[in-house]
């Protein structure tokens, strides 16, 4: 039970957003389950690629510049490109820009939640405290940080995909998602006060989603 509860807790944000999107967003349950499966599908290639690339010597360099490079390339680029490729399978028919943005958010959140389980199990393996507060700390932390950056970066990719399907390409959205994700991971990796800059990155990503949505939705009208 001590192991199951934290794992179930990882899915609380996903369940809450699912309910909101069904009853408020009028999204189809089948489409949301589709996005959920896409998020789960994305975890495997991301984990495998990062595992092998993580063994490349250049990524073991502890110089701040190399750590930033690792964050952008190994985490930002790999994860966002995998999400971009799989994101094209998300349903779009009869969806407005807002609805596709919402389902993209859900896709990113699902990846973040499944990824949280992996990090939790890794944390558990390294920890000698089973059933204590230490088990829940990484879950709660990622719930309000990593899950959100995945959500908003997926929103930016969703706007790219939605427009690309109409032959209107905005590559800057991909670049923005990659850089924001990488910079977030860079700051989140600090053990000192610098880690709080990651919260500013999340806020900026959320603002960018709104700004870009307003721009492209206005063009659609």
């Amino acid at each position: 039970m001590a192991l199951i509860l934290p794992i179930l807790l990882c899915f609380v944000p996903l369940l809450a957003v699912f309910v909101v999107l069904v009853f408020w967003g009028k999204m189809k349950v089948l489409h949301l389950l589709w996005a959920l499966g896409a998020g789960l599908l994305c975890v495997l290639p991301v984990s495998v690629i990062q595992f092998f690339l993580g063994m490349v010597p250049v990524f073991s360099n502890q110089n701040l510049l190399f750590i930033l490079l690792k964050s952008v390339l190994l985490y930002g680029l790999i994860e966002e490109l995998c999400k971009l490729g799989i994101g094209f399978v998300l349903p779009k028919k009869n969806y407005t820009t807002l609805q596709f943005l919402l389902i993209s958010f859900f896709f990113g959140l699902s990846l973040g939640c499944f990824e949280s389980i992996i990090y939790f199990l890794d944390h558990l393996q390294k920890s000698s405290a089973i059933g204590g507060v230490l088990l829940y700390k990484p879950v709660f932390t990622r719930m309000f940080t990593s899950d959100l950056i995945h959500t908003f970066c997926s929103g930016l990719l969703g706007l790219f995909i939605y427009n690309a399907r109409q032959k209107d390409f905005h590559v800057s959205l991909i670049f923005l998602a990659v850089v924001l994700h990488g910079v977030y991971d860079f700051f989140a990796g600090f053990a000192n006060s610098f880690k709080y800059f990651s919260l500013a990155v999340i806020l900026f990503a959320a603002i960018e989603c709104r700004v870009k949505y307003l721009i492209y939705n206005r063009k659609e009208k």
Side-chain angles (χ1 to χ4, degrees):
M1 183 63 69
L3 178 62
I4 295 177
L5 285 179
I7 291 178
L8 292 177
L9 188 61
C10 292
F11 291 105
V12 168
L14 199 61
L15 179 60
V17 173
F18 181 88
V19 172
V20 170
L21 292 182
V22 170
F23 292 99
W24 173 79
K26 305 302 180 182
M27 308 287 289
K28 296 180 179 179
V29 173
L30 182 60
H31 287 181
L32 291 176
L33 293 177
W34 192 336
L36 177 68
L40 176 59
L41 179 64
C42 199
V43 172
L44 180 59
V46 166
S47 300
V48 172
I49 294 172
Q50 288 179 340
F51 174 77
F52 286 105
L53 286 184
M55 294 188 291
V56 176
V58 68
F59 290 134
S60 62
N61 193 310
Q62 294 304 302
N63 179 281
L64 280 180
L65 182 61
F66 281 96
I67 294 176
L68 177 60
L69 181 67
K70 176 181 179 179
S71 297
V72 173
L73 296 182
L74 191 60
Y75 302 119
L77 183 63
I78 297 301
E79 292 189 31
E80 297 309 319
L81 286 186
C82 284
K83 284 196 287 185
L84 178 64
I86 295 177
F88 273 96
V89 308
L90 294 177
K92 173 188 175 292
K93 188 176 181 181
N94 300 324
Y95 271 12
T96 63
T97 307
L98 176 59
Q99 288 175 317
F100 194 76
L101 177 62
L102 292 175
I103 200 170
S104 298
F105 281 157
F106 190 73
F107 164 55
L109 179 60
S110 66
L111 171 59
C113 291
F114 285 119
E115 189 180 80
S116 291
I117 294 176
I118 296 176
Y119 276 86
F120 164 71
L121 293 176
D122 180 64
H123 177 82
L124 178 63
Q125 187 178 15
K126 296 176 181 177
S127 175
S128 59
I130 299 179
V133 177
L134 286 178
L135 290 180
Y136 292 89
K137 184 178 179 180
V139 176
F140 278 113
T141 300
R142 289 183 60 85
M143 190 182 296
F144 297 102
T145 54
S146 183
D147 285 358
L148 292 179
I149 197 66
H150 273 296
T151 299
F152 295 131
C153 285
S154 292
L156 293 170
L157 295 180
L159 290 173
F160 171 82
I161 293 170
Y162 189 85
N163 286 282
R165 284 170 165 172
Q166 302 175 58
K167 310 302 180 183
D168 188 12
F169 299 93
H170 300 279
V171 181
S172 61
L173 290 169
I174 303 175
F175 177 79
L176 189 58
V178 169
V179 171
L180 286 175
H181 192 148
V183 173
Y184 162 81
D185 275 309
F186 173 71
F187 284 118
F190 282 92
N192 54 31
S193 298
F194 279 106
K195 65 183 178 182
Y196 295 110
F197 281 102
S198 63
L199 301 179
V201 178
I202 294 173
L203 178 60
F204 184 76
I207 293 173
E208 281 298 298
C209 281
R210 175 168 174 75
V211 170
K212 295 299 188 292
Y213 161 71
L214 292 175
I215 292 174
Y216 300 128
N217 188 52
R218 190 180 301 120
K219 287 183 178 180
E220 186 180 46
K221 292 179 179 179

